[in-house]
Amino acid sequence: MAWETSNRRERLPDNWAAIRRRIIRRDGGVCVAPLLDSGQRCGEYGTDVDHIIPGDNHDLSNLQLLCRWHHTRKTQRESAAARAMRPRPQANVPRVEREATPDPW
């Protein structure tokens, strides 16, 4: 996450450091993301405590430890989904009626 451009850190609870330590201990210090080919845990060193369901629900059941790679991929998917839900502005370009093109056959 780009902390420099986010207000996310401000929205974390005062005891976030303790919650984070608890998640790291619970998940054994390793990434819990499932590998696509085997379904087993990634097993890389966990660096990021992630909200399973995005938002401000800091319940332990909504937190997981991910490696940087898996956390980045998950964040990219969530960002793309959020962008896709936003309405796109319509250009105010008048439609020009086109003459029918004669059929050359």
mmCIF file of all heavy atoms in Angstrom, residues 44 52 61:
data_model
loop_
_atom_site.group_PDB
_atom_site.id
_atom_site.type_symbol
_atom_site.label_atom_id
_atom_site.label_comp_id
_atom_site.label_asym_id
_atom_site.label_seq_id
_atom_site.Cartn_x
_atom_site.Cartn_y
_atom_site.Cartn_z
ATOM 1 N N GLU A 44 5.901 -18.074 2.251
ATOM 2 C CA GLU A 44 6.945 -17.037 2.294
ATOM 3 C C GLU A 44 6.792 -16.235 3.582
ATOM 4 O O GLU A 44 5.738 -16.231 4.214
ATOM 5 C CB GLU A 44 6.822 -16.101 1.087
ATOM 6 C CG GLU A 44 7.189 -16.739 -0.226
ATOM 7 C CD GLU A 44 8.663 -17.083 -0.314
ATOM 8 O OE1 GLU A 44 9.506 -16.296 0.166
ATOM 9 O OE2 GLU A 44 8.964 -18.161 -0.854
ATOM 10 N N ILE A 52 -9.104 -9.084 5.055
ATOM 11 C CA ILE A 52 -9.662 -10.035 4.090
ATOM 12 C C ILE A 52 -10.789 -9.369 3.314
ATOM 13 O O ILE A 52 -10.810 -9.394 2.091
ATOM 14 C CB ILE A 52 -10.149 -11.310 4.819
ATOM 15 C CG1 ILE A 52 -8.949 -12.007 5.474
ATOM 16 C CG2 ILE A 52 -10.874 -12.232 3.846
ATOM 17 C CD1 ILE A 52 -9.324 -13.092 6.450
ATOM 18 N N SER A 61 -10.761 -12.146 12.891
ATOM 19 C CA SER A 61 -11.263 -13.059 11.862
ATOM 20 C C SER A 61 -11.228 -12.435 10.468
ATOM 21 O O SER A 61 -11.363 -13.143 9.474
ATOM 22 C CB SER A 61 -12.690 -13.501 12.190
ATOM 23 O OG SER A 61 -13.548 -12.376 12.194
#
